[in-house]
Amino acid sequence: MHFRRHMELEHGLKQIDIAPLIDIVFQLLIFFMLTSSFVMQPGIKVNLPKAVTSEAVKYENTEIIISSENIVYLNGKVVNSAELKTLLKQVAKAKQGIMIKADRRASLGRIVEIWDLCRDLGVAQVNIATNQE
């Protein structure tokens, strides 16, 4: 006695059941979504001001970052005024340039204070980073 289903299997499958395959794909998708972690870039968040007439700087600079809370970072480390002055003297002796990256909400007085300190210590070139519009 041959059933109808056995007749179809013996002569070839007319249709593949893909429901288990879809189940496995969804389980893998859920597994990777739950176990993956996104790489967060450590750093200092600075919103640079925009400028129309900005130019690209082509050489390496020592970087001073001023956050929106007026915290000063030199090459990624928090520094106070005395440490900044000491490190800027070394930069001036090496005749390197300074790149000031100040947040748009940083105090203008703090930016000018650091700019003036750089010029007073004889830093060859002081640049301010901006975003181009």
Side-chain angles (χ1 to χ4, degrees):
M1 177 175 195
H2 289 280
F3 292 104
R4 183 175 175 191
R5 183 173 178 162
H6 289 287
M7 292 291 289
E8 290 175 358
L9 289 175
E10 289 176 359
H11 298 291
L13 295 173
K14 291 187 177 180
Q15 181 175 26
I16 298 174
D17 188 18
I18 61 169
L21 179 67
I22 292 172
D23 288 344
I24 291 172
V25 168
F26 277 119
Q27 286 179 1
L28 286 173
L29 182 68
I30 290 169
F31 172 77
F32 285 117
M33 287 174 57
L34 294 177
T35 59
S36 65
S37 62
F38 298 102
V39 176
M40 299 295 287
Q41 290 286 335
I44 304 157
K45 185 173 172 109
V46 174
N47 292 324
L48 296 175
K50 294 180 180 176
V52 177
T53 60
S54 61
E55 298 175 9
V57 176
K58 296 177 180 144
Y59 48 86
E60 190 75 21
N61 287 317
T62 302
E63 197 174 83
I64 296 175
I65 299 173
I66 305 170
S67 69
S68 60
E69 295 88 20
N70 292 323
I71 299 171
V72 179
Y73 300 87
L74 183 68
N75 292 331
K77 295 179 183 176
V78 177
V79 292
N80 59 25
S81 296
E83 293 170 337
L84 182 64
K85 190 171 184 176
T86 304
L87 294 169
L88 286 177
K89 284 180 184 175
Q90 295 172 0
V91 170
K93 284 182 184 175
K95 298 191 179 193
Q96 293 178 334
I98 293 285
M99 173 67 78
I100 298 175
K101 291 184 175 179
D103 192 282
R104 66 177 65 174
R105 290 175 289 165
S107 166
L108 179 62
R110 186 69 175 147
I111 297 167
V112 171
E113 177 187 329
I114 291 171
W115 180 299
D116 192 44
L117 181 64
C118 293
R119 293 185 67 187
D120 186 41
L121 295 173
V123 174
Q125 187 159 1
V126 180
N127 301 306
I128 292 185
T130 60
N131 283 333
Q132 284 187 330
E133 283 189 336

